[in-house]
Structure formats: structure tokens, C-alpha cells
Amino acid sequence: MDPVSRDLDSENRDSRPRKDSTADLQTHMGDMQITRGGDMLMDDYDVGDEKSDVAEITPDSSTDEPQEPLAHDFEGMKARMLPLLPDLEPESESIYTWDIENYRSLTRKERSPKFDCGGHPWRILLFPFGNNVDHASLYLEQAHGDEDKPPDNWYACAQFTLCMWNKNEPTIYMCHTANHRFTAEESDWGFTRFSELRKMFAQQWEGTGRAMVENDAVSVTAYIRIYKDPTGVLWHNFINYNSKKETGMVGLRNQGATCYLNSLLQSLYFTNAFRKAIYQIPTENDTEKKNSAWALQRLFYLLQTSEDAVSTQELTASFGWETRHIFEQQDVQELSRILMERMEERMKGTKAENALAKMLVGKMKTYISCINVDYESSRIEDFWDIQLNVSGNKSLDDSFRDYIQVETMDGENKYFAEGYGLQDARKGVIFESFPQVLHLQLKRFEYDINRDAMMKVNDRYEFPEVFDATPYLSEGADRSEPYLYQLHGVLVHSGDLTAGHYYAFLKPTVDGYFYRFDDDKVTRATLKEALEENFGGDYANMVNGHAGVRNPYTRTLSTKRSMSAYMLVYIRKSREKDILLDVAEQETPTHLAKQLSEERAALEKKRKDREEQHLYLPISVVTEDAFKAYQGFDLTNWESDPNAPSTPQTYRVLRASTVGDFTKTVAESLRLPAEQVRLWVMVNRQNKTTRPDQPLADLDMTISQAYSTHSTRDKPFRLWAETMTDIGDSKPSWPNVNPVPGIAPLVLIFLKYFNVEDQTLRGAGHIYMKRTSKVAEVIPAIQQLMGWSPSKDQALMSSPSSSNIPPTSNSAISSPSIQLFEEIKQSMIEPLKPKSTLQQAEIQDGDIICFQKALSEKVNSTIASTGGYTDAREFYDYLLNRIVIRFIPKIATEQEESTFSLALSRKMSYDQYSAKVAEHLKVDPTHLRFSTVLSSTGKAKQPVRRSQGHTLAQTLMPAVATYANSGQRPDALFYEILEMSISELETKRNIRIQWLPEGVVKEEPVDILAPKNGIVEDLVSPLQLKVNLSDEAAGKLRFYEVHGYKITKYLNTNSLLANISDYCTLFAELIPEEEDRADDNDRAIDAFHFDKETSKPHGVPFRFVVKPGELFKDTKERLSKRTGIKGKQFEKLRFAVVQRSLYSRPTYLNDEDDLSTIAIHADDQLGLDHVNRTRFFAGKGDSIFIR
């Protein structure tokens, strides 16, 4: 095997690099050329993986060559098989031929000698008998070995052709071409199914009479061209790509369909003056997730300092968006404007006030100037961005000329100038100034009247790198500073109206490059990628007969580019350095760095805790203070608010430490010596309570041993900390609870006090009693514990920690009558018999005795009348059925206290929980009405009916689910404070009226409560108040019912409200003046709107006066005034006479027709034929918003 090698370095070749060599590098994924037969298939081999997004390999379909070169004509073959890729600059080239002998004797894998290209070694890799296929497999391989490792981060972007040929008959050959980015990880690339073995050894190679492998020999030639990589990502597969490392910038993660938001945020972030202004908003004391300014500051700070892509979840949460908003693509211009408004509000009164307006606001003048007299009407308005038409315009300048186009008002459209009458005039818009940062919104989406649908405009539309806005300024505008603008950002949409993707090309620095920001990936881009590739229009160099390029989002083929600019950001050249100033980390809000540092430390601690979790054991400890602060069942609530004083304290304890060590830790937290703390193991009883069982006496036992001995596996380890206080110099001595010969064991009893006056049930402490003691003997202990008796000679065995008991006052109250109950479990509270012994009452260690004072019947009656409980068992029942309900005002207010929570019983009736809410709100309970809450949207469902036999549980959690009560929250209610009582309200009916203040173009819903047995006249006064009508105007009100967008009935003042159908819409309007003044010859006709077919009505129907003998062109003027539809919108209307039947054919009218002679039947109606625009938004979600 004798290698033949030639090196053709590009620097020695007589060729000049193309001026437009910076191009869209992503689109040149490569062409596969197959010559002289052989279908090319590719399989995986080692790290070489033919990925579709890295190398596209397509058959060569060119037939323009008059004569194909021979295989040993290396220059001719290179020109034929390895054409220069447009817009890319070659760095070096090589041609190498490997002559192979004794083919059938080759091993499974063979490599050619090394050859050089671009200063790096290469070789051909051959699997003579296939790489697990029945084809010869041929690859190009970078030949850096273990001894000659490639430099760090080495790569080479290679276009190559591998050609196998018969060296004795050079007309027999097969070639395959590909492009690949060679790296140390992807060191080889090529063709697993290069050529079928059966054909290679056949005597006839495609009818030539000779074999490809002849005399057991064949030659393989490699043609290689290395290209320069101006962006650093040419043919990159983006596996393990690090945006921060490659570009110094990071992207934003896509939450679902938030790519449009990401592109806008990146644009605003790299408008550095905007970022700096956002940093100046004071948010130190307002770090809530609802604060969008704080969330935007954090996002910008993370983009500035993070090493990885940043999430926008905090920001969207601050906007108040739910999951459904995350998956809805919204209008970027609308989002931008709302975001600016919110930030402007937050900047008021701060040093950043007006910063955004100075940067982003320009001024335009709308004018009407008379031609023949010296009169002009004009107004100057601010603008934040400019919407420009794309359709019908070829460039940005065309759109601006279209924007300021002057309309001449003459003929019937003359302008009425005050003091001059009707005059010919010019109407238009002109700019007085442009902002420092110019946002241009390109209208890529518009209504197509031919398709009767919204469509994306993919026409070619050019915009320059430098834009001169001077020609579009008024004559009096200040031109002292040039209005030259440098392109800073191009926001792109790829796809169509229904599916697509957003990304941005931005130029972060004045003299830097453009970069592509595509969600979490940031790559360097060429100028052509940022500009020309986003002009839209047809693909260049499309081969004849090619069906087009497949849109990755719609999966359809098209010859037009689906990617096009929809928003441009220009910065005034004279202010570039002010806008793109450096924002150092020292200029960021200091509290952001502190917060994020603390959060990172907390995350690191959690990570470390997870790693060391097997070494530690979490232990929950109940203390005496926690028991006394707790109101509820058992000794504590193990899953309550961590900040509540009754919540057990959780310790993370090393398993290898001893019980004594842990006792010291608990004692330190209680600020006591370790000798004054004893730990008890708590066990789960069969009645589902958790009580102390026995003390941990062996202090040398390890925590792990104690857990395995006294607790159940996979169950939490829970302890009670018994304490002694105020023991003086005496040595602590714990009561004996274990059986000892000759000594009667004591039983540990916990005491709870039900305070009837305060309606509370809390822990009072614990005592020790002999098992043989009578139940009545507990009472003296309670009296001393509560300070209800000064007697010191009571038969009492109290805890050594009795020093924790409140001391007996010298003026203690007299001993009251006391009732005792045992708390067995939540639903079992039993009274205790005083004469029984504790043993007979089955009292054991850890049991709870509840006590209460017996009050007089008068006091009990007073407490019960306010909804209180006078018996401990009743209060326990309340606790068992207690539920915390969140009450939300149905009409939103800005007062935070208007939303509140109350603990109520599930058994409460409507009047009982209404009284509790009224007490909190300080209103009359009879004026409160409640509504259930739909869990999916948080909106109000139907009002709750007032019923004495209906409990709160039945309202919130009905036993039988129906359509009306399904999907509602079990822990929340809306409330509203009515102007009348519920009982009075039940005699009323809510009637919604669609009020028409201006023709039919505007309707306002008005809700009125009217008597169920009332008449239409009862609606007049409430409507007059709500829409602010005079008494004279109220006398001209007209009400009519509409069904199916057509008038069905006119109502007089005596019409019964009960007869108004729930399935009809009730409209109200003032009778038009021309109808009020109509003479006897005039008559009225009903009119309605329809879209092409009369069976597709829409809009608001109305009544119209028909005047006999009037030409329809004059009738149209009255129609315009009657409906409120004017200008171009009115010109698009077509008019027809339509009979009332559903499928009647319309008779269209001309200007010379007389409506009175065509609409002659009683059921004739006037139809207005125009597009129903509301249907385009029927499936659209709620409008975008920022809380």
C-alpha cells in the first residue's frame, strides 16, 4: 500500500475569499453526492453518529456537467464532488489516495497511513467487510493518537468526500460527501453502508464489464476541505455545549411556551440602560413573589452572574400567571407595553423615575391641515413603539413612508374647520422626535380577506443595519443631533400562526458581534444570520423542482422562509455608549446578592444534608411549653406550622451520639442543666394517639440503639422532654414509674383545661398520682396547679416539676366546682367517676384528663347564645369538626385584610357561620351572601342558598356530587355584603342588561336586582342611576329581547319581568332622535349583522327608520350615524334585504336603490354583511396581564 498525498493549502491557491463569507452557517449542513450508483445509508459507529441536525447528506441531482471526470483526475474530481460551500471561507485543503492490496486478506478494521490537512493528522478508516452490515464501511478519522493528543478544545469543520475506485479503470468509482465538526469526542465520521460488498466483487460493476475490487485491489481517495468557523458553532451538535464558556452569556429556560417572553427579556436585559434603571427600583423591603419589579431585578442579576441558564418561573409567578398562561403564546408588543407600565409605576418617586420614558418614548403629531386656508388641527402624543405594515412594503423605509402617508380630505369627505366651514385638507401623522431606543413592531400577522382568516405574512421585508429616521421628522423637529440608528436586536418568529418558535439576535456591545439567544442556548451569529436570513421571502438557490423546505414546527413544505423578524430594536448611534454602558456588579442592588447567596447556601446545606442523611436521625421533641400552647387533640400536632409555639422542635441528631449527649442538647435549648431534663419515648397507641410510654433511663445508649429498641422502623422518633425547675440546691430526683418491690409505682397524667369563658382548650401541665388513688384526688392537684386554692395540706402527689406550676397567690380565688373527663381519642371524651380509682378508670402513663369549671346556668346560657360551647365534650366535637375556611371578597379590593380565614365547625348552619363572618367584618349577618369557589380557576360559582338544615360541610363537601357543585374548593368561600337582607334578596331577580351608549359598536353589561314579580318599568330607575341618565333621557329608554343575534320582542313598561327568558339577551338603548321625530310616512325595520350567509348572524341587532323615496347612498349615511360604524370599516359593509326565515336569500342593495320599495313585507329585515371578527378570538385565552 503506497500512499499518495497532496496538500493544497488555501493560502497558496490563487483564489480570493468571498466578501460575503459571513453567512448562515446553520443551513449549510452539507450535501451528499452519490456518483455511479449505490444507495447511501448510514449507521452508528463508535462516537461517529450521523445526526440530522449536524450533517444533512443528500444525493447529488446535478446533471449540468457535460462529462464526468475520471477518478485519477484529482482536481476535476474535487471540483465535481467537493464544491465550495457559499458564505464559508476555506482554511486548507488536502487530497490523499490510499492504494489497497490483498483486499480479501484484510483484518476487520484497517487504517490508512496518516496525512496532513490544516496542520493536523488525518487517516481513512476502513471496515473491509462491513461494520456489522453487509456493506463496506468507510470513515474519515482525525489521527491524533494517545501520544499525540489534540490541543484542548480542538475541532475542525471539514467538508470531505471519500471515493473508492478501480485504479486500473478510473471510470469505475463511488463517492460519498459529508460535512462534520471533528472533535476529540467525535473523532470519525463517514458511511457505514458505503458500498454493498456483493456489488464490489461482482464481475460487472454497473454494466462496465469490470469489478470495483479487481485483482483484490482497490484505491480510496479522500478529499478534505477545512473551513474557518467564524461563529464557533459551525455544524455543532450542541452536546455538552456551555453558553457561558463559549460566549460569556447565559440563556433563559423555556417553561413550555415562553420563548416569546424569553426573547423580549433578553432584548431588555442587553439594553443596559434599561437594566440599570430596573436595578434602581427600591425593593429591599418588598421581596415578595407578587412584586414583579423585584422578580425582574433577580432575573437580570442572575443573567449577569449565573453560570447556567436562568429560569423565569419567579417572574411569571410575580405576574400572577398560572400554568395555563405558561402554555399560551401571547402578543409580544402587548406584553412589552404592560411590562413598561408596571415598571413605570414602580419607579415613581424614586431616582429611576422617568428613566424609561427618556429612553424609550418618542413623540408623533397627528394633524389635519387645510389646503386653502391657514388652519391646522393637531395633537402631539407619546409613543413607546411603532407598529409598521409589512404587507405591501418591501423595506423599513417603505413602511415609514406608508406610515406618514398623507390622506387628502376633499369632495364629500371635506373637513369642517372652525370658522372656515368645510375645507379641503390633508390628514396624516408625522414624527416630532424619536427615542434613544427605537422599538419597531413589524405586523407579520394580519387578517387575509381572501382566506377569511388571520395569516402570517412571510413576504421578503428588508431592514438595514444603520437606519436614518430623519426623512420622517416634521419640518420643525429638532435636528441638532443626527437621527441615525444602529441595529441592536432582531426578534424572530419561526413558524406560522398556529405553531412556531421565538428567538432573538442581539448585539450586546457597541463594537461587538451579534449573538443568537434561543431560550437556554446562546451562540455567536453572523451579520447575515441576524439580518438577511430574517428578511423572509423565498429561499435562495432553490433547485428546480424542489418541493421546498420543511417547517420544523408545522411539518409542512414551503418555498418561503418561515423565519422572519417581527420586532426590531435600534439604538441612536450618538447615544450608543450611554445605552450600552457597562453595568458592573457593584451597581446591582446589594440585597439581591445577599438573598441569592443565602439561598445558595441553603441549597448547599440541603444537598449536604441529603448526602449525610444516613448518618443522622431526625427526632421530634415535645416540651411542657409546647403542650401548654397547644389547642387540640393529643399532646401536640406533629404537622403544624413550624413557627407555631405548640409545634414540636425537630433535631437532627448523629446516630452514633448517646442519649446523654442528646439530653444535653435539649437541655441547652431549654436553658436548663442536663440533670433537670428527662426524655420519654412516645409510642403510637391503637386508638391513633401518641403518648409518652417510658423514660430513656440508659444515658449511654446510642441514639441508633434507642431508635431501634423503642420505635418502629420507618416511623419518626418522637420524645417528650420532662423538666424540673426551681429545685434550689437539691439534687433532682425523678418520680419512679417502673415497678419496684415495696414501692407503689406512680402514673404520669397530663392535664388539659377547657376555659369556658375564653373558649380555649390548652395543656395545663402534668402530675404523678398513685394508681390506687381516687379520681377525686386529682382535683386538689388541679386546684394547686391552677392556683384556685391556698390549701397546702391536700393529699397530692405532684410532679417534681411542680415548680413550673403557677405559684399559689395569697389571694387565690375560692375552689370552684370541677368536672373531669378523660380524652381517650378524638371522638371519645368520657366523664370520670370521682369515686373510682385511677386503676379502675384504666388511667395509665401518658393519659390525658380534661377539666373545666362548672358555671351557673345563666353564664352558660349567655355563652351558648353567642355560639359558644359550655361543655368540654361539645368543644371537643367542635375541634373534631373544625375547618379553616378562607373568605374572599367577591368584588376584589386592594385591602389585604378583606381576605381572611376563620376556624369554623363543619356542623355549623348557614346562620351560625354567617354570624361568625359578620362578627369579623362588623356587619349585619343578614346582609351577607356566600358563593362557592371553582378550584380550577378560582372564580365564583353559584351563590349558597340559605337553609337552616344545611351545614357548612354539606355546602363545601356535598355527599352527592352534581354538575352544580363539582370542582369546588372545600376550604374557601366568596362573600359579598349586600345592600339588602338575604330574605329580601330572595324576592329579587338579577337581570343583566346590555346597555348601548353609542350605536351598536359598544355595549356595556349592567346587572340590576328587580322584583321577581315586577315589570319592565322597575328597571328604568336602577338603569338610570348606573349609566347616569337624565330624567328626560330615562323617559326615552327602549328595551328589547334578542335571541340568535336577532330582535325577537320589544318590551313596553308594563311587560312582566317573569316573562323575560333566561335564554335571551336583554338590550336597552335610548330611542334615536330621528326615530323619535319620524313622520307618518316613515316606518321602522329591524336590522341585524351576518357573515356571508344569513344563517351566520352576529353582533348587536337594532331598529332603523326607513324613509320613502330616499336613495340608498343617503340611507347609508344615516346607517353610519345610527350604528356608530365609520370610515374604512363602514366602507367594507354590504347591505341586503333579508326575510326573517333562517335560510332566506339576501337581496343586496346598490346606492341607487330605494330601501322602502324593496323591504315591503312585514318580516323583511335589513342585513349588514361583514366579517365576524369576534370569532377569531373565540378560542383565545384571557388577555395577557401582569399583576
Side-chain angles (χ1 to χ4, degrees), residues 910-911 914 924-931 943-948 975-988 1009 1012:
Y910 185 98
D911 288 344
S914 179
D924 188 341
T926 63
H927 284 58
L928 282 174
R929 182 167 68 170
F930 304 96
S931 302
V944 177
R945 290 185 177 274
R946 179 174 174 266
S947 173
Q948 287 298 330
Y975 72 88
E976 50 186 323
I977 304 172
L978 305 176
E979 298 176 355
M980 62 188 74
S981 67
I982 288 290
S983 56
E984 183 182 356
L985 179 66
E986 290 174 350
T987 66
K988 304 284 185 179
L1009 280 174
K1012 289 181 178 180

Side-chain angles (χ1 to χ4, degrees), residues 162 258 358 524 726 859 928 1107 1113:
L162 297 178
T258 56
K358 291 177 182 177
R524 185 176 154 189
D726 301 332
V859 175
L928 282 174
K1107 293 183 176 294
K1113 65 178 182 180

